[in-house]
Amino acid sequence: MGNIKIGLALGSGAARGWAHIGVLRALQEMGIEPAVVTGTSIGSLVGGAYCAGRLDELEKWVHEMDRWQVFNLMDFSLINGGVVSGERVFNFARDQFGAIRVEDLPIRFAAVATDLYTGREIWLKRGDVYDVARASCAMPGLLSPKPLDNRWLVDGALVNPVPVSLCRALEADFVIAVHLNSQLNVHAPNVPPQDMSPQGLNEQVEQEEQQGQNKDQRTQTPQSNDKSADEPGFKSFLAQGQSYFDNLKQKFKKDQQTPGVLGVMAGAIDIMQERVTKARMAGDPPDVLLQPKLGHIGILEFERGQDAIKVGYESTIRMRDLIEEDVKMLRFRRGERIKD
């Protein structure tokens, strides 16, 4: 693409990050070859593999991944600051794709991590590619922190989920950013009401009676001789009691489960990343923003790589005209300045 330095900022998203592979495939079809690649969290792993020329091997590995393989790669531990130690999966990746240092990559690459004790944003521009990715991916509470360069490092998504600013710092002229968490989980469970006002309970009972769902005349009990049973206040009391027990039974049905620890952590991280991304991009927007719709894929569903890759590819292809037109315009303007 001439002398223009195109930068690619690959964002965080855990299992959704396999969509980056599809994005890269689509850009290759367009003839766009980034001169600078930056990554946060899973974006650092995919970006590092791409810069090392190992994207084919990574894609093959992802396509073959199933739940059992994902489980086998998890080295569970509760003594290292995370549910999973994380060394097994990154050592496996190093064995599969080869050991290479960031400074030796043919494409300029850097990743974002967070200093656990100072909260500073750390730019990792040297060292073993998979050590760098491991530090950038250390999701708090799930993956244990990574000691690197005399710091304890955790997930870069805490401070910079889509590293556009790092692309700019590495002198990229045109930045394509990939944001994977724009669509929060679309499969939130239906939660029954925990409490309801007496008025609301009465309305609910009346509606059920009208639809014929709450009573069967054939099984009605004989009318009570107690005159108080005909009083409106007593009927209201019975209605409230019946609705209360109906709601209580609904609450304890097996399909209405309280979210587990990992589910709560994943949901909280989803929300945090989305808010931080909006704040960062407001001050430093990319030239092109790709936002694959991945809300149907949980951030821990690593076995759904094929689906994520397809979504990433298709969403990028849909932006093809815009990307090519913007790059063409930038080249034209550069040419005008050179002539002047």
Side-chain angles (χ1 to χ4, degrees):
M1 306 301 296
N3 295 321
I4 295 173
K5 285 186 179 181
I6 295 179
L8 185 60
L10 303 179
S12 60
R16 296 170 188 161
W18 300 140
H20 289 316
I21 298 173
V23 171
L24 288 163
R25 292 303 187 197
L27 293 177
Q28 286 177 331
E29 287 187 13
M30 300 177 200
I32 293 178
E33 299 178 359
V36 174
V37 176
T38 61
T40 295
S41 196
I42 189 69
S44 67
L45 177 61
V46 178
Y50 172 76
C51 292
R54 302 289 184 176
L55 192 63
D56 290 342
E57 291 87 343
L58 179 62
E59 184 173 9
K60 181 176 182 294
W61 182 47
V62 172
H63 275 284
E64 295 173 348
M65 193 173 292
D66 56 27
R67 288 187 178 183
W68 182 245
Q69 186 177 9
V70 172
F71 180 80
N72 283 338
L73 289 172
M74 299 293 103
D75 41 356
F76 294 99
S77 172
L78 296 176
I79 61 174
N80 294 316
V83 176
V84 177
S85 174
E87 299 305 322
R88 185 182 299 173
V89 62
F90 285 92
N91 288 337
F92 179 82
R94 185 185 289 106
D95 292 341
Q96 290 290 308
F97 313 136
I100 187 169
R101 297 186 64 80
V102 171
E103 53 268 37
D104 296 330
L105 293 172
I107 300 172
R108 197 167 187 188
F109 172 73
V112 177
T114 304
D115 188 310
L116 178 61
Y117 292 103
T118 67
R120 290 181 54 195
E121 179 177 339
I122 306 298
W123 291 352
L124 302 174
K125 297 182 285 186
R126 63 178 63 87
D128 181 271
V129 169
Y130 294 100
D131 281 344
V132 165
R134 166 68 181 81
S136 184
C137 289
M139 190 182 298
L142 180 64
L143 204 62
S144 60
K146 174 69 176 178
L148 195 65
D149 296 335
N150 298 316
R151 297 185 178 98
W152 283 102
L153 300 180
V154 293
D155 199 340
L158 294 175
V159 291
N160 195 354
V162 185
V164 175
S165 56
L166 181 51
C167 258
R168 303 280 189 204
L170 296 180
E171 303 178 342
D173 302 308
F174 184 90
V175 178
I176 301 171
V178 187
H179 176 30
L180 304 178
N181 301 301
S182 62
Q183 187 185 35
L184 296 180
N185 198 328
V186 296
H187 289 303
N190 293 322
V191 180
Q194 300 299 305
D195 60 292
M196 188 179 295
S197 66
Q199 182 180 357
L201 287 169
N202 290 336
E203 291 175 354
Q204 178 181 340
V205 172
E206 289 174 4
Q207 184 178 8
E208 290 175 351
E209 289 177 348
Q210 290 174 2
Q211 296 174 348
Q213 295 178 353
N214 198 40
K215 288 188 177 181
D216 188 336
Q217 294 180 354
R218 292 173 301 179
T219 59
Q220 282 185 340
T221 57
Q223 186 174 1
S224 172
N225 292 326
D226 187 352
K227 293 182 180 181
S228 65
D230 293 329
E231 296 176 2
F234 189 69
K235 288 183 177 180
S236 176
F237 173 78
L238 291 178
Q240 292 178 33
Q242 181 62 45
S243 295
Y244 172 79
F245 284 111
D246 286 345
N247 287 332
L248 193 63
K249 287 189 293 182
Q250 182 72 13
K251 180 180 177 181
F252 285 97
K253 281 185 177 180
K254 290 184 178 180
D255 59 346
Q256 299 291 350
Q257 296 179 353
T258 302
V261 174
L262 293 182
V264 171
M265 287 171 52
I269 289 170
D270 256 347
I271 295 168
M272 178 273 298
Q273 288 182 130
E274 171 64 3
R275 299 301 183 267
V276 174
T277 299
K278 286 181 177 179
R280 294 296 300 256
M281 285 192 179
D284 193 3
D287 297 284
V288 172
L289 177 60
L290 302 176
Q291 301 187 88
K293 300 303 181 184
L294 297 159
H296 61 291
I297 298 177
I299 64 173
L300 300 178
E301 294 182 307
F302 288 94
E303 72 279 1
R304 300 187 63 182
Q306 295 185 47
D307 190 9
I309 291 171
K310 181 181 179 182
V311 174
Y313 174 83
E314 292 177 348
S315 64
T316 307
I317 289 296
R318 285 195 293 270
M319 297 282 285
R320 180 170 191 154
D321 291 343
L322 174 64
I323 296 171
E324 292 180 341
E325 185 63 29
D326 284 355
V327 172
K328 185 186 299 182
M329 182 63 67
L330 180 60
R331 294 182 65 187
F332 177 73
R333 290 175 178 172
R334 277 292 175 89
E336 281 190 335
R337 285 202 295 269
I338 292 172
K339 289 178 182 178
D340 292 337

